[in-house]
Amino acid sequence: MAKIGVQAMMLKGSFAEAGAFETLRKVGAIGYDAVEISQIPMTPENVAELDRSRGELGMDIAALSVAMETPKGMPGDSLKDHFDKIVDDAKRLDTHLLRIGMMPFPAMKSIDAVVDFAKQANEYAENLREHGIGLYYHNHHIEFAKFDGKYMLDIIAENSPAMGMEIDVHWVQRGGLDPVRTLAKYAGRTAMVHLKDYRIGELPEQAFGLLETGDIAGFMAEFKNVVQFAEVGEGNLDFPSIIPAAQAAGAEYLLVEQDELYGRTVWEALQTSYDNLVAMGHADLF
């Protein structure tokens, strides 16, 4: 049975201020007991606190995030330079899932670069498989650009058969596709799904002020930016259909995520998503 958890990108501020253990204690108090680690430095201190949270809080470390190469100007572990450490961290935290959050930006410059990325990722996936660890790719909207009639995500999948998928339903919708059909398409190789809603927000009052002054370009910029991230159940995505589709696709974890909070705290947002998911009848997945 799939388990609902939290994508820790939302919690990076709390991790930095309160530490991993105290942050996950608050996550657990809401009702979540699984977390996917992302944008959290895997320092010895953080790894130790994550491990402690497993023993003392019963927190399931669902997956760890990795890059193939550390981007210039950004810290972090990479499969190229820290392969053994990444494997050791995964084994210590009892997770068999690693995920690439996004292809490197230079890989987006051409279809040949996309193919090269996918083939390199496949080599790492094959090497990780020898350690009992799977590698998965997380989509945004850019992967639904078409090349000769094929979506970029399909090209990645075809050139990295050893790598699975982590489907983000918000970005699927923003890419113009149906999340349910996309989950069915990648059934059998999708271990994780991001539960992230898609909301059309209200035009802010300032937009109408721009209109009154004749700043049509400014108004149209606001008009184009009404697409928002939302708490699960607070937007327009059909989660009563999406969650069964994710389970049917073989997902082990369904991870709540919200990229922007629009003035709410992360704890308010996570509580709302939790309450809505329980109201949908999914209390058994926590």
Side-chain angles (χ1 to χ4, degrees):
M1 179 181 292
K3 180 186 286 189
I4 296 176
V6 174
Q7 219 284 349
M9 176 278 291
M10 299 179 66
L11 301 163
K12 59 186 177 184
S14 181
F15 269 77
E17 294 171 10
F21 183 83
E22 283 304 312
T23 296
L24 295 182
R25 183 183 61 77
K26 293 179 73 172
V27 168
I30 295 173
Y32 301 93
D33 67 356
V35 63
E36 176 180 80
I37 302 304
S38 177
Q39 300 185 33
I40 308 300
M42 293 298 284
T43 61
E45 294 78 15
N46 276 343
V47 172
E49 287 204 16
L50 291 173
D51 195 19
R52 179 186 170 201
S53 76
R54 293 177 56 244
E56 296 185 26
L57 304 174
M59 188 62 61
D60 182 352
I61 309 301
L64 304 179
S65 298
V66 296
M68 292 205 312
E69 296 186 21
T70 304
K72 292 181 180 179
M74 295 179 64
D77 298 339
S78 71
L79 290 169
K80 178 182 178 181
D81 298 322
H82 310 94
F83 186 91
D84 291 341
K85 177 187 181 301
I86 289 169
V87 169
D88 289 345
D89 287 346
K91 290 185 176 180
R92 179 177 179 181
L93 299 174
D94 194 29
T95 180
H96 63 281
L97 306 175
L98 298 180
R99 40 92 66 179
I100 295 174
M102 184 187 293
M103 74 175 77
F105 291 131
M108 301 176 187
K109 65 184 178 182
S110 69
I111 190 58
D112 289 339
V114 171
V115 170
D116 287 345
F117 159 77
K119 289 182 175 179
Q120 290 177 45
N122 194 65
E123 290 182 15
Y124 285 118
E126 290 176 342
N127 292 336
L128 287 164
R129 185 179 287 172
E130 296 178 5
H131 297 273
I133 298 170
L135 183 64
Y136 297 82
Y137 182 77
H138 168 270
N139 69 278
H140 289 79
H141 53 3
I142 189 71
E143 291 87 359
F144 298 106
K146 281 187 176 180
F147 297 88
D148 296 327
K150 283 187 177 180
Y151 294 119
M152 185 192 296
L153 191 61
D154 290 337
I155 294 169
I156 292 172
E158 289 171 5
N159 286 280
S160 58
M163 181 167 66
M165 292 289 166
E166 178 177 57
I167 298 298
D168 186 310
V169 296
H170 173 101
W171 288 114
V172 170
Q173 180 74 23
R174 198 174 283 214
L177 278 74
D178 173 22
V180 170
R181 292 177 65 185
T182 300
L183 286 164
K185 180 177 184 177
Y186 289 108
R189 65 184 298 180
T190 298
M192 297 163 285
V193 173
H194 279 187
L195 304 184
K196 179 192 301 180
D197 216 334
Y198 181 104
R199 174 173 57 213
I200 303 301
E202 295 182 8
L203 277 165
E205 185 176 341
Q206 67 206 43
F208 297 98
L210 294 170
L211 193 63
E212 290 174 4
T213 64
D215 186 355
I216 303 302
F219 175 82
M220 290 307 299
E222 295 285 357
F223 182 83
K224 292 176 182 177
N225 288 330
V226 294
V227 174
Q228 295 181 353
F229 303 97
E231 297 83 356
V232 176
E234 296 295 308
N236 296 338
L237 291 188
D238 182 11
F239 282 101
S241 297
I242 288 171
I243 291 175
Q247 293 174 294
E252 297 179 44
Y253 293 98
L254 312 176
L255 300 152
V256 172
E257 183 184 33
Q258 189 173 342
D259 294 37
E260 296 183 35
L261 301 174
Y262 311 101
R264 303 195 75 196
T265 71
V266 66
W267 308 111
E268 290 169 336
L270 286 174
Q271 185 71 59
T272 297
S273 289
Y274 176 86
D275 292 344
N276 287 345
L277 284 162
V278 169
M280 291 178 201
H282 299 302
D284 61 323
L285 300 184
F286 288 94

